[in-house]
Amino acid sequence: DIQMTQSPSSVSASVGDRVTITCRASQDITTWLAWYQQKPGKGPKLLISATSTLQSGVPSRFSGTGSGTDFTLTISTLQPEDFATYYCQQASSFPLTFGGGTRVDLK
Amino acid sequence: EVQLVESGGGLVKPGGSLRLSCVASGFEFSAYAMNWVRQAPGKGLEWISYISASTDRILYADSVKGRVTISRDNAQKAMFLQMNSLRAEDTAVYYCARSANSGLDPWGQGTLVTVSS
């Protein structure tokens, strides 16, 4: 199975800050990497697929980069509605696996 | 609107069974593969099962293999998860999610399964 390691596990930030979350795969997944946002009591929402493809309706302040084993999700200017938990997920092979999550909360 | 709605969760004793349902609307259900993903209380996401659009490919996580069965009814736009021999560690919110765009989208709101005596 492909292990996904996400860091940090939590980050405290202020509105307007730039936030970067990293995700590392235990083996090469080329660009088969997705990012999700989850708010309390809700199902996850797909933000980015194939490493860098922003889903329809997702603000352009979200961006994704990387390839192979190392990937990054960046929120360029944090907004109040962005406080949530973020997960990466590899889509290269089954079983699909997720990173442990990064909680973004208010400093 | 593309939507998935899960149901069937509840409180069950260890060793018991439950059947979860996921009803789809707003898209051509029969054209998409589907998945079940669970989240234990306060924990991360764990994929547990996949079913292709035509049901010719079915996959399970090792953690549930032999105890759960995924199925779908394309005419009813529904997917199911039959869960047997439930354990305390199966306690989680269970989400259904559509395979799309090399990710899972959308997800339902989830249904809570609690395994406890």
Side-chain angles (χ1 to χ4, degrees), chain A residues 1-3 94-97, chain B residues 38 46-50 59-68 87 89-90:
Chain A
D1 298 1
I2 299 174
Q3 308 304 315
F94 285 96
L96 304 180
T97 47
Chain B
R38 70 183 180 183
E46 178 190 16
W47 171 86
I48 58 170
S49 188
Y50 164 96
L59 300 169
Y60 299 103
D62 287 346
S63 59
V64 300
K65 196 174 295 182
R67 299 187 300 118
V68 308
R87 307 166 179 168
E89 54 264 37
D90 295 317

Side-chain angles (χ1 to χ4, degrees), chain A residues 8-67:
Chain A
S9 57
S10 66
V11 57
S12 295
S14 301
V15 173
D17 284 354
R18 181 181 183 90
V19 173
T20 299
I21 299 167
T22 64
C23 184
R24 174 164 288 176
S26 61
Q27 63 191 69
D28 188 347
I29 59 170
T30 61
T31 57
W32 292 99
L33 193 282
W35 290 98
Y36 301 87
Q37 177 191 67
Q38 186 178 31
K39 295 185 177 180
K42 302 288 189 181
K45 173 187 175 183
L46 179 65
L47 297 177
I48 291 172
S49 63
T51 296
S52 59
T53 302
L54 209 62
Q55 299 304 291
S56 175
V58 175
S60 59
R61 62 181 179 272
F62 290 92
S63 63
T65 61
S67 69

Side-chain angles (χ1 to χ4, degrees), chain B residues 3-5 7 19-25 27-30 32 34 36 51-53 55 70-81 96:
Chain B
Q3 192 172 12
L4 298 170
V5 178
S7 62
R19 188 188 195 218
L20 307 184
S21 299
C22 169
V23 175
S25 60
F27 67 99
E28 188 179 353
F29 180 74
S30 61
Y32 289 88
M34 297 293 294
W36 287 99
I51 186 167
S52 65
T55 72
I70 192 171
S71 61
R72 64 190 294 163
D73 182 336
N74 286 339
Q76 298 297 319
K77 296 188 176 183
M79 177 178 66
F80 308 98
L81 190 71
C96 61

